């Protein structure tokens, strides 16, 4: 199947699944089979071209898209995205566009996912809110805690995972491009009907985690969903004491990330991410840092997990013709209980490439394929991995 046919198939599925609130009467007329010549495919393509040329208002302008995907974690599935953008000050071009996405996914390996996420920028340029809420149920695998548990495929145990996660942060500009603010992170994770409980090492299979803390960041990105240039530095410190609902144990976590975006030649961006996550105290298994979450796309999410994690990724993002683009990346990462336990041989490499299709301005559908050490994976998602 060539590229045009692949996009055509996604657009066709999208048109059949679209709901009323996201399409105006004029837009419906543009895909009416009896109103124009040229066939349904060309009309669908023209409709999506119009979706990228809309007036910016303080009410979200939504575009709906659906498409097939495959990954070893979920199997074959259908991903659904309702993406919207708006501005709290439509006449002020300096105010970043706010965005909201409603996502859903169903797949053959008993995956069911629904969620909402977004960023809201206030018109005074001094405040912003980040939020996400998701509910996911799927058949999954658990290898255990530690690099060597994840290394051997014979350790994996099948179970039914149920995750409910709510994250939000409020950031206030203190000066220039520096922001500070509170963070809340609530999560319920549960392992149902595992084939064996040995890998959990006497950890409870179900846990509710409630964390609160703060965030410090420096942000000079030109936009937050398809960044072309800028710098984003972030420190998140969370505390999960027993008295706010964390069972018998308290724990805490520190997460650091540094994202650099440098323009190269026409349509090209060099994107680099350095990331580390570190936990202290008796951290429950569902809150341990993992590889495969977001940037390390070659590895099964959750296969490698431990008290601490570091990873690095370098990408070249190249815009091609019209709405199409490609991405090439290399990366490496590892998990470990303490810094003194880091070993060169335990560093997991990866490389990969992906396709991008801009279904709204600065909002991409991405399809990535990565290859790692004895591992590979597909990812279908919205916007860039970082």
């Amino acid at each position: 199947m060539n590229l045009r046919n692949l996009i055509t198939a996604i657009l066709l599925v999208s048109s059949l699944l679209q709901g009323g609130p996201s399409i105006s009467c004029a837009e419906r007329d543009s895909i009416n089979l009896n109103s124009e010549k040229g066939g349904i495919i060309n009309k669908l393509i023209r409709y999506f071209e119009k979706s990228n040329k809309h007036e910016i208002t303080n009410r979200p302008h939504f575009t709906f898209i659906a498409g097939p995907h495959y990954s070893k974690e979920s199997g074959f599935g259908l991903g659904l995205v309702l993406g919207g953008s708006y501005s709290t000050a439509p006449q002020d071009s300096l105010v970043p566009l706010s965005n909201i996405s409603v996502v859903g996914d169903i797949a053959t390996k008993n995956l069911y996912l629904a969620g909402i996420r977004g960023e809201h920028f206030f018109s005074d340029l001094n405040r912003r809110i980040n939020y996400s809420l998701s509910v996911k149920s799927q058949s999954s695998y658990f290898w255990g805690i530690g690099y060597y548990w994840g290394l051997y495929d014979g350790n994996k145990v099948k179970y039914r995972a149920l995750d409910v996660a709510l994250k939000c942060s409020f950031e206030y500009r203190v000066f220039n491009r520096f922001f500070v603010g509170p963070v809340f992170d609530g999560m319920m994770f549960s392992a149902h009907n595992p084939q064996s409980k040995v890998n959990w090492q006497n950890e409870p299979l179900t846990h509710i985690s409630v964390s609160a803390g703060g965030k410090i960041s420096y942000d000079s990105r030109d936009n937050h969903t398809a960044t072309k240039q800028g710098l984003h530095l972030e420190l998140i410190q969370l505390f999960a004491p027993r008295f706010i609902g964390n069972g018998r144990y308290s724990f805490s976590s520190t997460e650091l990330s540094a994202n650099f975006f440098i323009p190269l030649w026409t349509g090209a961006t060099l994107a680099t991410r350095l990331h580390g996550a570190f936990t202290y105290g008796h951290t429950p298994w569902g809150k341990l840092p993992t590889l495969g979450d977001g940037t390390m796309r070659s590895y099964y999410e959750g296969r490698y997990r431990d008290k601490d994690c570091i990873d690095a990724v370098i990408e070249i993002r190249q815009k091609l013709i019209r709405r199409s683009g490609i991405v090439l990346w290399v990366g490496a990462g590892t998990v470990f209980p303490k810094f003194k336990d880091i070993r060169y041989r335990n560093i997991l490499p990866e490389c990969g490439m992906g396709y991008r299709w801009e279904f709204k301005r600065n909002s991409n559908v991405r399809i990535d394929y990565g290859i790692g050490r004895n591992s590979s994976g597909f990812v279908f998602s919205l916007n860039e991995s970082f």
Side-chain angles (χ1 to χ4, degrees):
M1 177 180 290
N2 61 36
L3 188 56
R4 178 180 175 84
N5 289 341
L6 174 61
I7 297 174
T8 295
I10 294 177
L11 296 180
L12 180 58
V13 174
S14 302
S15 70
L16 296 176
L17 295 175
Q18 292 192 57
S22 64
I23 309 175
S24 68
C25 293
E27 289 171 326
R28 289 183 186 278
D29 290 342
S30 73
I31 59 173
N32 189 317
L33 297 181
N34 297 320
S35 64
E36 298 182 39
K37 297 181 181 181
I40 184 172
I41 301 306
N42 288 330
K43 293 180 177 65
L44 289 173
I45 293 174
R46 282 195 291 272
Y47 163 68
F48 274 87
E49 287 175 345
K50 290 182 179 180
S51 73
N52 207 25
K53 302 174 183 177
H54 63 274
E55 181 182 359
I56 301 299
T57 68
N58 57 10
R59 298 180 62 183
H61 179 278
F62 287 103
T63 301
F64 188 85
I65 188 168
H69 67 90
Y70 171 82
S71 72
K72 65 171 73 176
E73 294 95 336
S74 61
F76 290 96
L78 179 66
L80 315 172
V81 177
L82 180 63
S85 60
Y86 62 98
S87 175
T88 54
Q91 307 307 317
D92 188 349
S93 61
L94 296 179
V95 177
L97 284 181
S98 300
N99 62 84
I100 180 172
S101 300
V102 180
V103 297
D105 204 350
I106 54 175
T108 55
K109 292 187 178 180
N110 297 314
L111 168 67
Y112 305 95
L113 179 147
I116 183 171
R117 61 177 178 263
E119 295 177 292
H120 179 84
F121 298 93
F122 291 86
S123 58
D124 59 13
L125 296 176
N126 290 323
R127 296 169 294 160
R128 62 190 188 189
I129 298 174
N130 291 271
Y131 57 90
S132 65
L133 172 64
S134 64
V135 180
K136 181 171 72 172
S137 174
Q138 75 172 110
S139 295
S140 187
Y141 293 99
F142 185 74
W143 276 258
I145 299 171
Y147 171 84
Y148 289 103
W149 279 85
L151 183 62
Y152 300 105
D153 211 43
N155 289 333
K156 71 177 182 181
V157 172
K158 188 176 183 179
Y159 71 101
R160 182 74 184 179
L162 174 63
D163 296 334
V164 181
L166 170 63
K167 299 180 180 180
C168 59
S169 66
F170 178 87
E171 296 178 73
Y172 187 82
R173 186 194 303 271
V174 289
F175 61 90
N176 198 10
R177 297 180 181 273
F178 284 91
F179 294 81
V180 299
V183 178
F184 173 82
D185 186 329
M187 185 176 184
M188 189 279 286
F189 47 91
S190 182
H192 295 281
N193 303 318
Q195 295 173 327
S196 170
K197 298 182 181 180
V198 174
N199 294 25
W200 276 266
Q201 304 171 34
N202 297 319
E203 288 286 313
L205 299 185
T206 299
H207 192 91
I208 295 176
S209 165
V210 181
S211 304
K215 176 195 291 190
I216 302 174
S217 66
Y218 174 86
D219 194 351
S220 63
R221 292 173 292 175
D222 57 347
N223 72 82
H224 289 203
T225 53
T227 309
K228 305 298 188 300
Q229 63 180 2
L231 172 64
H232 185 213
L233 306 176
E234 189 172 75
L235 165 64
I236 301 175
Q237 179 64 52
L238 292 174
F239 301 93
R242 288 182 296 172
F243 66 85
I244 62 173
N246 287 288
R248 295 178 297 167
Y249 303 102
S250 299
F251 65 97
S252 60
S253 65
T254 303
E255 186 170 12
L256 297 161
S257 61
N259 301 341
F260 306 87
F261 304 91
I262 303 171
L264 298 177
W265 49 85
T266 302
T269 300
L270 177 67
T272 302
R273 173 177 169 85
L274 306 176
H275 172 258
F278 316 98
T279 63
Y280 322 95
H282 192 109
T283 309
W285 63 273
K287 293 295 290 182
L288 291 172
T290 66
L291 290 184
D293 183 7
T295 53
M296 297 289 288
R297 285 150 279 182
S298 304
Y299 295 94
Y300 192 104
E301 184 176 350
R303 175 169 183 165
Y304 293 95
R305 70 177 75 210
D306 210 327
K307 297 271 291 184
D308 304 309
C309 167
I310 54 175
D311 58 84
V313 176
I314 300 175
E315 291 189 353
I316 294 180
R317 302 170 181 173
Q318 176 67 60
K319 183 72 176 292
L320 298 178
I321 59 173
R322 298 173 67 84
R323 299 189 182 197
S324 294
I326 60 171
V327 169
L328 301 174
W329 82 85
V330 295
T334 190
V335 297
F336 50 94
K338 297 179 181 180
F339 276 98
K340 67 181 180 63
D341 298 311
I342 297 177
R343 299 291 183 270
Y344 176 78
R345 63 178 180 272
N346 293 353
I347 296 176
L348 298 163
E350 73 160 2
C351 64
M353 66 180 303
Y355 170 73
R356 301 293 183 267
W357 185 70
E358 186 182 41
F359 79 103
K360 289 177 67 70
R361 183 171 58 183
N362 290 329
S363 292
N364 294 324
V365 171
R366 63 182 175 98
I367 303 174
D368 290 334
Y369 178 68
I371 300 174
R373 180 182 296 170
N374 302 319
S375 180
S376 62
F378 276 106
V379 176
F380 170 88
S381 189
L382 179 67
N383 297 326
E384 299 296 342
S385 60
F386 63 92

